[in-house]
Amino acid sequence: MNKIFNIVYHILQKTSIILGISYERVNILFYFILLPYFGLLLINLIISNCFLLFSIILYFIFNREEFYTYLFNKCVIFLEYFGNYKKSSVIFCVFLPIFIFIILIFMKFYN
């Protein structure tokens, strides 16, 4: 779990440096904006036209740094509640999204 956490952490850290924005912002953009957006995009392929509202919301919150910091801190509190921050991060932020995407892809192509 520590190895997966460190790999993801370093990818997000390097991405924040490349983009010139905070680590917290990159983290929230990835887990709360991009991942759900692509999930909705997959659902859109199954159902159709359900990610338009999310796109509009994305437009309005994209440049609010205080939003990202606040949400990141709340996520840290949530993940620390389970005892082991790194283990919880890997389960909720890596394994769970992969599992959900596998289900969505399965639904799209094998339904």
Side-chain angles (χ1 to χ4, degrees), residues 10 18 26 43 59 61:
H10 289 297
I18 291 169
V26 170
I43 292 170
Y59 173 77
I61 63 174

Side-chain angles (χ1 to χ4, degrees), residues 3-100:
K3 187 170 185 168
I4 294 171
F5 176 87
N6 290 333
I7 290 169
V8 173
Y9 171 79
H10 289 297
I11 290 171
L12 294 175
Q13 188 70 23
K14 286 182 183 184
T15 302
S16 73
I17 292 168
I18 291 169
L19 296 176
I21 58 178
S22 69
Y23 167 79
E24 291 86 357
R25 188 172 189 164
V26 170
N27 190 294
I28 296 302
L29 279 172
F30 182 76
Y31 289 111
F32 284 82
I33 307 297
L34 295 176
L35 222 72
Y37 188 79
F38 287 115
L40 289 173
L41 197 58
L42 278 171
I43 292 170
N44 184 63
L45 293 173
I46 298 166
I47 300 172
S48 80
N49 295 329
C50 63
F51 73 95
L52 178 61
L53 179 61
F54 191 75
S55 298
I56 293 168
I57 293 169
L58 174 67
Y59 173 77
F60 286 108
I61 63 174
F62 197 83
N63 288 319
R64 301 181 103 13
E65 189 68 36
E66 64 276 0
F67 167 78
Y68 298 105
T69 302
Y70 172 80
L71 197 53
F72 178 82
N73 291 332
K74 292 296 182 184
C75 290
V76 169
I77 292 168
F78 171 77
L79 294 170
E80 287 175 342
Y81 173 79
F82 297 97
N84 185 325
Y85 176 77
K86 288 184 179 182
K87 185 177 181 181
S88 299
S89 293
V90 171
I91 291 169
F92 284 105
C93 303
V94 177
F95 293 152
L96 186 60
I98 289 171
F99 178 71
I100 291 169

